[in-house]
Amino acid sequence: MSDTILQCRNIKKTYPRLSLDLDFSVSQGELVSIIGPSDSGKSTVLKLIAGFVNPDSGIVAIDGQVVTHLPTEKRNTAVVFHDYALFPHMNVEQNVAYSLKQRKIAKDDMIPEIRRLLELVNLSGFEKRGIEDLAADEKLRLALARALASDPCILLLDEPLMLLDSKKRFELRNEIRQIHLKSGVTTVYVTNDKEEALSISDRIIVMKNGKIDQIGTPEDIYRRPGTEFTATFTGECNILPYDVILKTLRVPETERSKVIYQCFGPDHKLLFRPEDMVVNDMPGLPFPEFFPHLRFENAKIIRCEYLGKEYLVTAQYDEFIIKVYTVYRPASDCITAGIRMNKILEFNDGRLIRH
Amino acid sequence: MKRNDTFIRTYPLAGVILFLVLALAPLGFSVAAGAQDAVKLVSDRTALMALADCLCLSAACTLAALLLGLPGARIMARTAFPCKGILRWLYCVMTLVPVFYIRLCCKVVPFPSIGKPWMWEGAVLALLSVPSVVFITGEFWRRLDPGMEQCASSLKTPGGRIYRTITMPRIRAAATASALYVFARCFTYMMAAKTTVDALSSSLNVICAIIGLLVLIPLFITADKAMCRKDRSKGLPQQKPCCAAGHIFVFIYVIVSLCVAAAPLVLILLKSIRTPEGFSFTAYIGLFKTVYTSGSRTFICSLILLAGSLIISLLIALRISYGASDSRFVLALALAPLAMGPYAFASGMRGLFAFIPSVPLIVPGILSHTVMTVPFMVLVLTPAVRRVPDTLRNVSRSLGYSESRSFMRMDRKLLGPHIAAACFVGAAASLGDFGASFISGLASVPVQIDSFISTGDLQHACALGFILTLICLLSISIGRAIMRKSHV
């Protein structure tokens, strides 16, 4: 691809408890998130790109130039760490100017440039403030401004919202997206919060044990997860064995064997999201009829969690455990839920084989 | 504890190598010289008795200091009361107080005529060591989370059992560290005091140095491990204000321990002022004239030693601190001279330079002082270097600055107050050091005080001691004040 700005080809790096094996590329102007559980190697990928760590083998190329063995300062990347790493002996203006001085910007041009950058991150008027006088979100904005001041090819964000409360996280993730769109700088964003990644990314890389599990758009990752791991990591889901079909399939008797034969192998697993299920939580009410579907009649409620806008109900049907979302708290201790066949993903040996 | 930063691996190398050369070359020479006398030592009953005396006395002093110091450490750690900052500072000062004061104290303090003189010397040594235990253990203890004790208390565990089973295992490393530090200090002092005039001094000094080395390296590794665990805790725990009765107990302990430990110093001060004819300002001028016209150029000698050792120490200590922040072994190595004492280094250094007759005596003197000053500077600098996050240097590099420019623009500026403080603390240590200049044959201020003591001129000894104390206190105070301005 001509517009590829970052390439990581056959990167291998071995640690005592982790082996990294990577192969991916990022296009110009993209915001790519890297998500995964703790110790899956997300931050190490960032360090490899920035040059804090050298790979055992493989190639890192930025803007067409191989930088695998170049020191950090020659790679034209900028990093924002989770603790922001602001220089404590400098004020806001000096922190931003630190990057500009390296670019040898003339003194006369420096002040307008600092103002522009601070305005970009909504920090106008904070020029003379000390670092200790800034709130956590303001520190993040400053760290972003300082990073952008170095005019990087690639902006690397290492869990930047980790220290913020949930409200600020929500606000700042949208601002990061806005800043990315305005500045147009290619961004690699590491997080372990799936919502953050799904909401702001152009593409997502899901990592597991040092390897890439799936790369795709947020919709692909959530709706068509390539593996069972990606499906469970990116959201709540029900994973049930093949047997559930025999017990819950609702389809005219004439077509039953045909559906079972055509769709599912006996060793396969079925996966579907709780929000795709249709729920009837009022006993006595008829369940809406649609075909074909799986129906879990009078499943016994084990747990009901209030999530604010809805309830997450965990229920047991036969030997199967299912999770569903309901708007109202179930009136009885049983619930009936169904899922259309076209919403069900089929996995074999942890990999998606049919959607 | 290993840090993922190539700078930390490469920058300290030159300092560590230079320090190793400066420390190992004279030590090796001392060992070689001492080995010749080793056979005589085994057959010399007097020398062996001296060694045994020193070991027993040092152990007794250490035990006494530990018993007296641990309650103080608890008070410093767990109780909130006014002026505690000043007390902590006083304890810190007394931990660094020059060893030659012990001899002056023994001359000045009117001890009862019962028992042997060395017993009183040991008592002074033990009392002067109490603040070391309070300061080292207390500083560690106050950073421990009291939540475990509170939890055990809510389970209705008696206080004594909580102390034995919960608290003591956690402060054991710091208590051991302080005890071993006191032991090393007492042992090296006594060995030096008993053997500097003896024909077998080099053998005994080598034994002293090696025992010190063996004791101190595990000590600092253990203590540092514990301190590193402490570093990960978030902030300092809240301290409990004690009840009225508790306040009275605390104040009685603090006042008594301070008075007992500080009494010798106060006596020196009083003696320097309250002489039969009164030690007036004119008398001090007379003292300066006496010291200055004695032909030894005492003050100039001390100033040259101070300036020379400070410049070299700073160059070495700053680099070593980066290594020590990453490796406990480097830290233990840098602090080892504290245990080995200045006598072993100075005698080795002098012996080495005897082969080059054209070199003036001041050069081995400066180098010996440097070896003894580096540990104090490393002690000030290493915690500060550890507190500078790697991410700052990484960010700086990702913004286009090279490693060396990042160091100049980030580390040097962030550590500026600590570097200045280390210089002041190093100055106090260098000015107060007696052994290195004595063995090197240089007439520095402590040596001049010693010669006053030897000639029985206690008035001048006390007066000069008072001036030196003031300069050292001032130096340490300025160092502490500067450190507060630090960003790390």
Side-chain angles (χ1 to χ4, degrees), chain B residues 322-375:
Chain B
Y322 276 86
S325 72
D326 190 41
S327 154
R328 289 184 187 110
F329 181 73
V330 174
L331 182 64
L333 193 77
L335 300 183
L338 284 182
M340 288 190 265
Y343 304 96
F345 289 108
S347 58
M349 199 71 84
R350 193 176 174 180
L352 274 177
F353 276 85
F355 293 109
I356 321 168
S358 56
V359 176
L361 274 181
I362 198 89
V363 175
I366 287 176
L367 295 180
S368 305
H369 270 254
T370 301
V371 176
M372 295 313 297
T373 310
V374 164

Side-chain angles (χ1 to χ4, degrees), chain A residues 47 52-53 71-73 77-79 81 83 85-90 98-99 101-102 146-147 150, chain B residues 4 389-403 405-406 409-410 413-414 487-488:
Chain A
K47 286 177 187 166
F52 300 133
V53 171
T72 303
E73 58 268 23
T77 57
V79 187
F81 287 102
D83 62 353
L86 297 172
F87 306 138
H89 57 301
M90 300 178 188
Y98 188 83
S99 305
K101 278 178 192 164
Q102 174 57 22
R146 184 183 62 183
S150 69
Chain B
N4 181 22
D390 286 349
T391 47
L392 284 185
R393 207 176 300 113
N394 284 343
V395 159
S396 182
R397 289 184 61 205
S398 83
L399 295 175
Y401 287 84
S402 65
E403 282 190 340
R405 283 187 72 205
S406 294
R409 295 189 63 101
M410 294 300 315
K413 289 190 176 173
L414 279 174
H487 290 280
V488 290

Side-chain angles (χ1 to χ4, degrees), chain B residues 46-120:
Chain B
T46 320
L48 288 177
M49 285 302 289
L51 186 67
D53 275 356
C54 290
L55 278 172
C56 294
L57 203 54
S58 305
C61 287
T62 308
L63 190 63
L66 204 59
L67 288 176
L68 289 170
L70 278 180
R74 187 186 186 284
I75 290 168
M76 293 302 290
R78 288 286 182 259
T79 319
F81 58 90
C83 307
K84 204 157 84 169
I86 297 171
L87 275 177
R88 199 176 290 128
W89 173 81
L90 272 174
Y91 282 130
C92 167
V93 166
M94 293 185 69
T95 302
L96 285 173
V97 80
V99 165
F100 78 88
Y101 273 105
I102 294 160
R103 197 166 167 214
L104 196 54
C105 292
C106 294
K107 295 281 180 191
V108 171
V109 179
F111 289 120
S113 53
I114 49 166
K116 292 181 180 173
W118 59 260
M119 281 175 56
W120 294 110

Side-chain angles (χ1 to χ4, degrees), chain B residues 122-196:
Chain B
V124 172
L125 204 50
L127 288 176
L128 279 177
S129 302
V130 169
S132 303
V133 176
V134 176
F135 180 68
I136 296 172
T137 316
E139 278 296 298
F140 175 70
W141 201 336
R142 83 191 177 102
R143 280 154 206 271
L144 288 180
D145 181 8
M148 285 192 202
E149 278 88 351
Q150 285 163 359
C151 180
S153 175
S154 73
L155 297 171
K156 298 181 179 55
T157 315
R161 196 161 163 233
I162 292 174
Y163 180 74
R164 279 197 312 279
T165 56
I166 311 279
T167 311
M168 201 57 204
R170 290 195 294 159
I171 60 159
R172 193 175 289 146
T176 313
S178 61
L180 290 177
Y181 172 74
V182 170
F183 179 82
R185 194 183 186 203
C186 295
F187 186 71
T188 50
Y189 167 74
M190 285 178 191
M191 287 301 290
K194 279 181 184 290
T195 63
T196 44

Side-chain angles (χ1 to χ4, degrees), chain B residues 198-220:
Chain B
D198 197 277
L200 298 176
S201 60
S202 55
S203 301
L204 288 178
N205 270 322
V206 168
I207 291 173
C208 156
I210 290 169
I211 290 177
L213 188 72
L214 291 176
V215 163
L216 211 71
I217 285 188
L219 140 73
F220 278 114

Side-chain angles (χ1 to χ4, degrees), chain A residues 36-61:
Chain A
S38 300
D39 295 328
S40 59
K42 309 182 294 288
S43 295
T44 312
V45 177
L46 229 55
K47 286 177 187 166
L48 280 163
I49 299 169
F52 300 133
V53 171
N54 284 330
D56 297 336
S57 65
I59 288 171
V60 179

